[in-house]
Amino acid sequence: AVEEAEARARAAEAEAAAALLQAVAGREAAQAAAADASAAQRAAEAERVAEVERERERLRQEVVAEVKALEDQVAAVADMAMEAEQALEAETARRVRWQAAAARAEARAEA
């Protein structure tokens, strides 16, 4: 009877040890799953950050292109304004010469 009781006690101890090992293994598996989930979350966040950076760069390039186009338009308008000013100066000079010639002709006619 004592041997039987000792055998049952050893069996119970073995079962308890097995249950403890199983609990430890389960806890380790849960920790590993949590670590995997955390790594997946970090990877997803890194991808979102990368996507935001790509979009930011695309928008920056778009703005740079729009600014360049506007600068080109401003330069073209400045060129047209300079050409118009030169044409106006030439026309003014022609009219002044014409008026001077008319005044000389009138002075000769009166003389």
Side-chain angles (χ1 to χ4, degrees), residues 3-111:
E3 290 176 4
E4 189 177 313
E6 287 177 354
R8 282 196 303 261
R10 281 193 299 275
E13 286 176 0
E15 286 179 28
L20 180 60
L21 287 175
Q22 196 172 15
V24 168
R27 186 184 74 215
E28 289 174 353
Q31 288 173 340
D36 289 348
S38 180
Q41 185 178 8
R42 285 193 303 276
E45 181 62 24
E47 179 55 33
R48 283 192 295 276
V49 168
E51 180 60 33
V52 167
E53 285 298 315
R54 285 190 294 270
E55 180 65 10
R56 187 185 68 75
E57 178 60 19
R58 185 191 67 75
L59 291 173
R60 187 193 68 75
Q61 289 177 0
E62 189 175 300
V63 168
V64 166
E66 288 178 12
V67 168
K68 175 71 171 107
L70 290 173
E71 288 172 345
D72 291 347
Q73 290 175 358
V74 167
V77 168
D79 288 346
M80 289 188 299
M82 188 172 58
E83 291 170 5
E85 185 177 341
Q86 290 171 347
L88 180 60
E89 288 173 359
E91 179 63 19
T92 301
R94 186 186 66 74
R95 287 185 183 196
V96 168
R97 287 191 303 273
W98 180 80
Q99 288 174 349
R104 284 192 302 273
E106 188 177 320
R108 278 191 295 255
E110 290 178 358

